Amino acid sequence: AYVINGLNTTTCAYSSVTKIVDGGVKGLFWGHVDYDATPDTDDPTDPDPDVPTPPVVPDGTVVMPVDPARYWDTRAEATFDGQHRNTGRMGDTHTIQIAGRGAVPNDAIGVVANLTAILPDGPGYATLYPCGDIPWASHVNYAPGQVVANSAIVPLNSNGQICVYSHTGADFALDVNGFLPATSDFAGITPQRYLDTRADGTTFDGKAQRGGAVAAGHMVEVQIAGRGDVPKSASAAFVNVTAVGPAGPGFVTLYPCG
C-alpha cells in the first residue's frame, strides 16, 4: 500500500490516518511505484495467507485505523485478497466492495482510503463517492503521465461499496487504512464543491464561485456550516483543496480564519 507516491523531481505532501504502535507509526517505506506488490504466494491472484480480520472497536471510536491494504488495482498487480485486481484502465466509473473484506467489518459505514492515479492519458480528475449520482467534486487531480494520490474519508453505500469516477483513462490503485464503525459519530456526506475561484467555476449551490485567483499572501473565507449537507452546528469539516495553475512555487494553508 502507498501513502505518498512521488517522482524524483517532485515535492509531495499527504495526509493519512495511521496506526500508532509503541509510540510510533507502524512503518515507513520509500520505493518505486512499480515495486513488487506480489503477496506471500507466488501467484498474485491467490489471497495473502495473512489476510487481516476486523479488529475490536473500542467504545467511542470515530475512525478506526487499520494496517494499510490494497483493495483495488486496475493493473496486473496484487490486492491483499486477490479480489478487484487487473480490472483494466478506466475512464468512467468503477464499483469496489469495501465492507466485509479484510479488516473492514460488514457493518462499517465509511472508509479512509488513498486513491492513486497512475499515468493518466490526459489532464483530469478522479472522485470517490458512495455510488449513485456522480458528484461535482474531485479527490485526485492529475496531468498526463503523472502518478498522484490523495486521501479521503468516504461514506459506504448500503452494500458496503464505494465508486470511483475518472474523467480520463488511467490506471488506479486504492488502499484502505481505516474505517468508520457503525457506532461512529462521524457524519460523512457525498462530496460537493464549496469553492471554485475560476472564471468558469461552479459550486453545488452557486455560492463562493468565480471570484478570481487568490493573490499571493492573501486569503479567502469559505462558508462551510449551514451549506448543503453540513449543519450550522458543525464544528469541523474534512475537505480537499486543489491549487489550480499557480503562478509560482508556494503553499496553501487551511485554518479556522482569525
Side-chain angles (χ1 to χ4, degrees):
Y2 309 144
V3 172
I4 294 180
N5 300 266
L7 302 175
N8 61 358
T9 58
T10 60
T11 300
C12 304
Y14 174 75
S15 62
S16 178
V17 172
T18 307
K19 288 179 66 176
I20 295 177
V21 178
D22 296 330
V25 296
K26 180 97 178 202
L28 178 65
F29 173 80
W30 177 261
H32 290 97
V33 68
D34 58 350
Y35 76 97
D36 182 6
T38 305
D40 295 346
T41 56
D42 292 332
D43 185 352
T45 63
D46 289 338
D48 190 324
D50 298 322
V51 167
T53 56
V56 176
V57 178
D59 291 341
T61 299
V62 177
V63 177
M64 185 69 188
V66 297
D67 290 336
R70 176 67 41 87
Y71 273 62
W72 174 50
D73 201 318
T74 61
R75 305 165 298 170
E77 299 284 353
T79 57
F80 76 94
D81 59 358
Q83 301 181 46
H84 290 280
R85 62 172 299 275
N86 200 21
T87 56
R89 288 173 71 84
M90 58 164 288
D92 193 2
T93 60
H94 186 79
T95 303
I96 306 163
Q97 184 67 39
I98 301 295
R101 292 175 64 198
V104 182
N106 286 315
D107 62 352
I109 61 173
V111 65
V112 183
N114 175 39
L115 180 66
T116 304
I118 304 165
L119 306 179
D121 296 329
Y125 65 92
T127 300
L128 293 168
Y129 62 106
C131 301
D133 295 335
I134 301 172
W136 179 241
S138 64
H139 285 121
V140 176
N141 298 268
Y142 50 71
Q146 284 188 328
V147 177
V148 60
N150 200 7
S151 177
I153 295 180
V154 188
L156 300 177
N157 69 7
S158 59
N159 294 318
Q161 301 166 325
I162 60 173
C163 286
V164 180
Y165 168 77
S166 179
H167 178 72
T168 303
D171 277 310
F172 285 92
L174 183 85
D175 301 324
V176 167
N177 56 5
F179 66 88
L180 277 62
T183 55
S184 174
D185 291 332
F186 185 93
I189 62 174
T190 299
Q192 295 287 357
R193 180 145 301 166
Y194 275 64
L195 169 72
D196 198 323
T197 63
R198 295 172 294 184
D200 59 350
T202 58
T203 60
F204 76 96
D205 59 358
K207 300 177 181 178
Q209 64 182 27
R210 306 181 186 183
V214 180
H218 287 69
M219 55 84 73
V220 57
E221 291 188 5
V222 185
Q223 182 67 38
I224 301 295
R227 290 177 63 193
D229 293 329
V230 181
K232 290 182 179 179
S233 59
S235 59
F238 193 93
V239 304
N240 178 50
V241 62
T242 303
V244 183
F251 63 91
V252 176
T253 300
L254 296 173
Y255 63 103
C257 300

